[in-house]
């Protein structure tokens, strides 16, 4: 969902390169200009903030264990050249090949240590907050969602608030969302003609917002205030994710003022809904209601400010990542005939068994479609890199047999663009092959813990994983059953300047409506 899907700001670390990917309004002329901004603006500005924010001078460690090999000084020049000409993955792959599983990039004295592979990732995902944390990387989310939630509160309260999400998105409560999701999907695609051409990315973005309004925000928003909420939410995100707003979230700029007005409007809308439900004793089956009913361990109920902040955060987290994952799923399936046919065959078998009806248990039976989505997130993870800040020295043992000490003060990075493409774990990693996750093969499990981290892991595992898969399955099971689809445009390149790296430009798909879903059985 991310809620994946994706829960980007709350349950997954927002990697610095992903922070850069949010700059979707930068007016870049070409790819070189974009990558120049990545190399110059991002590395100089964002890492500076991460490295020096809230840090004081510390004595050097007396441990004799060596630090990781470092790239610094003039060695940075060819590294940046590779970034500019070949891209992020190629740059990191070169360093991984040269130095092994652990290496440090030092830029103007600011050090980022990359941890490649599951053997060196355990502390990154499981280390306690006192030893490893997000630092101040996500400070820009405080004026977005308010000082009462997420990174506006301490770790104790933030952990409890994360528990509210876990409870709201657990399987027992997800079942009630399938029917409204299906209704939104069926209603939306009923507007398509008998045949036509669409931009799949745009269509899915609109559909996911409708689903979010229904299942996350509630009937009040979906039925009466949808356009107003969408407009205010767009204003909030657009102005929060500009470069200056990210680096200087409290500066009195036109963008931060527009952000604050949008947040105030959304807060007012959700607060009014909360008050209305409480005064009328009305109870709904949506995530907003779950957050309203949540209680802290000391028995205190959530406040209006907390509920509104939490619901805005989950909407922000889920919308981008779910849309992107669903779009990539379509692009990959429609580019691989064998996989598309296997997905259709699975739907045929499910229709034979259950008829046209879909419920939560039916979605769980869509194992190949599940693998198709999982493979998409291996190849196109919602975040390219996760970051943490080191507060206490720790050591790692590499697959190559070396031991290194990572010092406090370093920023450490888990690069999914490399970790999800390690050949000794994933056979032919550049090939889209959902079967690698099928029962009996399961390359991610064979590779060990923290081999697959599309939903992060350990202490920061995303509680929206099941919800994310459910959304995408509902949409694509409907599309597969009801339409013949073909990818008309070429397979898209990745646009790294988005919140979740997404297909660049339009994803044009032609469709032709099937007479009835059951007609598939006669094919």
């Amino acid at each position: 969902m991310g809620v994946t899907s994706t829960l980007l700001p709350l349950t997954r670390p927002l990697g610095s390169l992903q922070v850069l990917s949010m700059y979707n309004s930068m007016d870049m002329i070409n790819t070189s200009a974009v990558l120049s901004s990545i190399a110059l603006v991002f590395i100089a500005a964002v890492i500076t903030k991460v490295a020096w924010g809230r840090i004081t001078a510390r004595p050097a460690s007396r441990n004799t264990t060596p630090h990781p090999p470092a790239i610094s000084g003039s060695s940075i020049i060819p590294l940046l050249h590779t970034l500019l000409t070949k891209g992020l993955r190629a740059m990191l792959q070169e360093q991984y090949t040269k130095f092994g599983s652990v290496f440090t990039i030092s830029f103007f004295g600011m050090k980022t240590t990359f941890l490649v592979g599951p053997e060196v990732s355990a502390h990154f995902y499981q280390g306690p907050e006192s030893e490893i944390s997000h630092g101040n990387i996500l400070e820009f989310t405080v004026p977005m969602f308010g000082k009462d939630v997420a990174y506006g509160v301490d770790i104790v309260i933030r952990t409890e608030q994360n528990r509210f999400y876990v409870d709201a998105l657990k399987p027992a409560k997800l079942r009630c969302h399938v029917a409204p999701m299906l209704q939104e999907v069926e209603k939306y695609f009923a507007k398509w003609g008998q045949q036509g051409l669409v931009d799949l990315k745009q269509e899915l973005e609109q559909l996911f917002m409708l689903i979010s309004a229904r299942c996350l925000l509630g009937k009040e928003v979906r039925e009466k205030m949808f356009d107003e909420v969408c407009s205010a939410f767009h204003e909030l995100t657009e102005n929060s994710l500009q470069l200056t707003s990210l680096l200087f979230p409290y500066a009195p700029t036109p963008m931060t003022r527009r952000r604050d007005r949008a947040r105030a409007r959304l807060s007012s809308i959700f607060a009014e809904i909360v008050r209305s439900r409480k005064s009328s004793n009305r109870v709904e089956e949506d995530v907003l209601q779950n957050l309203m009913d949540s209680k802290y361990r000391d028995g205190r109920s959530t406040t209006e400010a907390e509920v509104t902040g939490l619901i805005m955060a989950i909407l922000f987290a889920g919308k981008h990542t779910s849309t992107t994952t669903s779009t990539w799923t379509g692009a990959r399936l429609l580019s691989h005939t064998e996989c598309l046919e296997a997905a259709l065959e699975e739907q045929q078998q499910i229709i034979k068994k259950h008829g046209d009806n879909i419920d939560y248990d039916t979605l769980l039976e869509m194992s190949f479609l599940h693998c198709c989505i999982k493979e998409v997130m291996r190849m196109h993870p919602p975040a390219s890199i996760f970051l943490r800040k080191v507060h206490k020295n720790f050591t790692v043992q590499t697959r190559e047999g070396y031991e290194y000490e990572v010092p406090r003060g370093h920023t450490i990075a888990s690069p999914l663009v490399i970790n999800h493409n390690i050949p000794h774990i994933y056979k032919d990693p550049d090939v889209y092959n959902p079967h690698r996750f099928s029962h009996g093969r399961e390359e991610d499990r064979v590779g060990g813990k923290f081999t697959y981290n599309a939903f992060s892991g350990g202490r920061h595992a995303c509680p929206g994983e099941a919800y994310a898969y459910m959304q995408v399955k509902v949409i694509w099971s409907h599309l597969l059953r009801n339409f013949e689809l073909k990818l008309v445009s070429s397979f898209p390149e990745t646009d790294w300047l988005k919140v979740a790296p997404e297909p660049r430009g339009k994803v044009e798909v032609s469709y032709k409506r099937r007479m009835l879903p059951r007609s598939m059985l006669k094919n």
Side-chain angles (χ1 to χ4, degrees), residues 24 26 49 53 64 84 182 214 231 303 359 394 443 469 511:
N24 53 6
M26 284 184 173
K49 187 179 183 189
T64 58
L84 296 174
L182 281 168
R214 180 73 175 273
S231 176
T303 65
D359 59 20
F394 69 95
E443 291 180 358
Y469 275 111
Y511 68 86

Side-chain angles (χ1 to χ4, degrees), residues 240-361:
S240 296
L241 304 181
Q242 303 297 321
L243 178 60
T244 55
S245 299
L246 287 165
L247 298 180
F248 309 105
Y250 302 103
T253 66
M255 287 175 291
T256 57
R257 284 192 285 268
R258 288 194 294 268
R259 174 204 64 197
D260 293 344
R261 286 196 297 269
R263 179 187 169 276
R265 181 58 191 141
L266 287 170
S267 296
S268 175
I269 290 172
F270 294 131
E272 179 58 35
I273 293 173
V274 170
R275 287 193 291 269
S276 175
R277 289 188 183 183
K278 288 182 176 180
S279 64
S280 62
N281 293 320
R282 189 172 73 257
V283 177
E284 301 288 349
E285 289 186 327
D286 50 45
V287 173
L288 178 64
Q289 186 69 51
N290 278 275
L291 296 176
M292 289 172 56
D293 296 339
S294 297
K295 292 184 181 294
Y296 291 90
R297 297 192 186 281
D298 62 4
R300 179 175 71 85
S301 297
T302 49
T303 65
E304 283 184 7
E306 289 170 339
V307 172
T308 56
L310 290 169
I311 201 66
M312 282 191 284
I314 198 173
L315 178 61
F316 172 79
K319 177 179 177 292
H320 293 285
T321 48
S322 291
T323 300
T324 299
T325 296
S326 194
T327 304
W328 279 122
T329 298
R332 285 293 180 181
L333 277 177
L334 300 182
S335 300
H336 294 78
T337 303
E338 180 184 348
C339 296
L340 179 60
E341 291 177 349
L344 285 167
E345 172 63 24
E346 180 176 70
Q347 293 301 315
Q348 293 176 16
Q349 295 305 316
I350 291 174
I351 290 173
K352 287 180 181 179
K353 183 177 179 181
H354 299 288
D356 295 334
N357 297 324
I358 294 178
D359 59 20
Y360 185 79
D361 293 325

Side-chain angles (χ1 to χ4, degrees), residues 173-185:
K173 293 186 177 180
L174 289 182
R175 291 178 178 273
C176 70
H177 295 307
V178 176
M181 279 186 187
L182 281 168
Q183 291 171 10
E184 293 295 339
V185 169

Side-chain angles (χ1 to χ4, degrees), residues 85-137:
T85 57
K86 298 181 181 180
L88 172 65
R89 179 181 169 188
M91 182 197 77
L92 294 176
Q93 185 67 49
E94 283 188 4
Q95 309 316 309
Y96 171 47
T97 301
K98 183 176 181 180
F99 296 107
S101 303
V102 183
F103 56 89
T104 299
I105 296 178
S106 179
F107 195 80
F108 288 132
M110 292 155 285
K111 298 175 175 62
T112 301
T113 297
F114 291 82
L115 306 174
V116 180
E119 299 85 1
V120 294
S121 296
H123 192 65
F124 183 94
Y125 290 102
Q126 295 185 142
E129 186 80 6
S130 60
E131 298 181 12
I132 179 174
S133 73
H134 295 99
N136 65 337
I137 299 172

